[in-house]
């Protein structure tokens, strides 16, 4: 299989590519993730994933052949508000307090650049996650684990937070940050041979 440049430092996304046996290398995109409140929530992750891909392409030396570049971005939407990565423990606590006993939507967008055709393909994955009712003590315990660092919404669905999740409707891998079915679809659409 041809190597893919992953425009993300997410260990979870790397684990999924390893599991699929897709060779990759990571190039960290340098983008401003500040977003306009004028955009619909569903447009934001695709816009950011596209900006990550573009930033990586621009960072490569002029004249270098660019193979495949994969960008992904995840945000959480709940009650008409956006939840990104919490800035500190207090914000992580607030996020989880909002989510407890409720259902929120995880939006993960993928953007794949094909260096042969100079074209991009994108897909959006929506996953609904329902948290059980939680006490402040349970929320504080989780926040104290530090798992909220660098995680959209302040939790990691594939780790300790799974204790508090009563229902998932949609793609589990999408909730982690790299929806496998959508990834397979865009690779297939672009002619990337994954079944080798």
């Amino acid at each position: 299989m041809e190597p893919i440049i992953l425009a993300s430092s997410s260990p979870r996304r790397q684990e999924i590519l390893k599991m699929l046996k897709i060779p990759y290398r990571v190039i960290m995109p340098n983008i401003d993730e500040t977003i306009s409140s004028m955009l619909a929530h569903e447009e934001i992750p695709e816009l950011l994933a596209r900006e990550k891909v573009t930033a990586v392409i621009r960072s490569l030396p002029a004249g270098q052949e660019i193979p495949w570049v994969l960008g992904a971005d995840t945000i959480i939407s709940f009650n008409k508000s956006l939840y990104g990565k919490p800035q500190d423990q207090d914000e992580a606590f607030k996020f989880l307090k909002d989510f407890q006993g409720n259902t929120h939507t995880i939006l993960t967008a993928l953007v794949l650049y094909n260096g042969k055709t100079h074209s991009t393909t994108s897909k959006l994955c929506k996953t609904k996650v329902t948290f059980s009712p939680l006490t402040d003590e349970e929320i504080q315990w989780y926040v104290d684990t530090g798992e909220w660092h660098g995680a959209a919404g302040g939790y990691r669905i594939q780790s300790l937070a799974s204790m508090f999740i009563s229902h998932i409707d949609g793609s589990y891998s999408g909730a982690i940050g790299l929806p496998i079915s959508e990834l397979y679809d865009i690779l297939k659409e672009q002619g990337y041979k994954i079944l080798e």
Side-chain angles (χ1 to χ4, degrees), residues 6-20:
L6 176 63
S8 168
S9 61
S10 162
R12 260 56 58 195
R13 291 179 181 136
Q14 292 176 49
E15 283 165 16
I16 289 171
L17 289 180
K18 278 182 198 156
M19 181 196 72
L20 296 172

Side-chain angles (χ1 to χ4, degrees), residues 10-191:
S10 162
R12 260 56 58 195
R13 291 179 181 136
Q14 292 176 49
E15 283 165 16
I16 289 171
L17 289 180
K18 278 182 198 156
M19 181 196 72
L20 296 172
K21 301 194 176 1
I22 295 174
Y24 70 93
R25 71 182 172 114
V26 172
I27 297 181
M28 285 275 299
N30 183 15
I31 67 161
D32 176 7
E33 294 198 35
T34 312
I35 39 183
S36 164
S37 56
M38 303 295 288
L39 290 171
H41 289 188
E42 292 184 6
E43 295 172 10
I44 293 167
E46 183 185 338
L47 174 74
L48 292 173
R50 202 170 285 282
E51 285 183 9
K52 289 175 183 180
V53 167
T54 302
V56 164
I57 291 168
R58 284 192 183 132
S59 74
L60 297 170
Q64 177 180 326
E65 188 178 313
I66 299 165
W68 302 90
V69 183
L70 177 66
D73 196 78
T74 301
I75 62 164
I76 291 177
S77 177
F78 175 63
N79 273 355
K80 299 185 180 169
S81 293
L82 279 182
Y83 292 75
K85 297 169 185 169
Q87 300 298 311
D88 54 32
Q89 281 198 330
D90 291 343
E91 192 169 38
F93 186 95
K94 181 201 169 301
F95 285 5
L96 294 169
K97 183 91 169 162
D98 290 350
F99 297 155
Q100 66 86 27
N102 291 303
T103 300
H104 60 266
T105 304
I106 299 176
L107 300 165
T108 297
L110 297 178
V111 172
L112 179 71
Y113 173 79
N114 180 338
K116 293 180 186 122
T117 62
H118 306 288
S119 61
T120 57
T121 309
S122 64
K123 290 261 184 222
L124 179 68
C125 173
K126 292 186 223 175
T127 305
K128 293 190 179 301
V129 175
T130 305
F131 266 75
S132 302
L134 300 174
T135 64
D136 285 359
E137 184 183 18
E138 287 171 312
I139 295 170
Q140 192 59 58
W141 172 84
Y142 181 75
V143 169
D144 288 343
T145 69
E147 216 176 70
W148 60 270
H149 281 282
Y155 72 92
R156 298 195 190 283
I157 198 168
Q158 73 280 13
S159 202
L160 293 171
S162 59
M163 296 189 306
F164 307 130
I165 292 167
S166 61
H167 187 74
I168 298 170
D169 180 13
S171 168
Y172 177 75
S173 58
I176 293 173
L178 193 65
I180 295 170
S181 175
E182 284 80 356
L183 175 62
Y184 181 61
D185 285 349
I186 63 174
L187 289 170
K188 213 163 54 168
E189 274 174 37
Q190 287 289 337

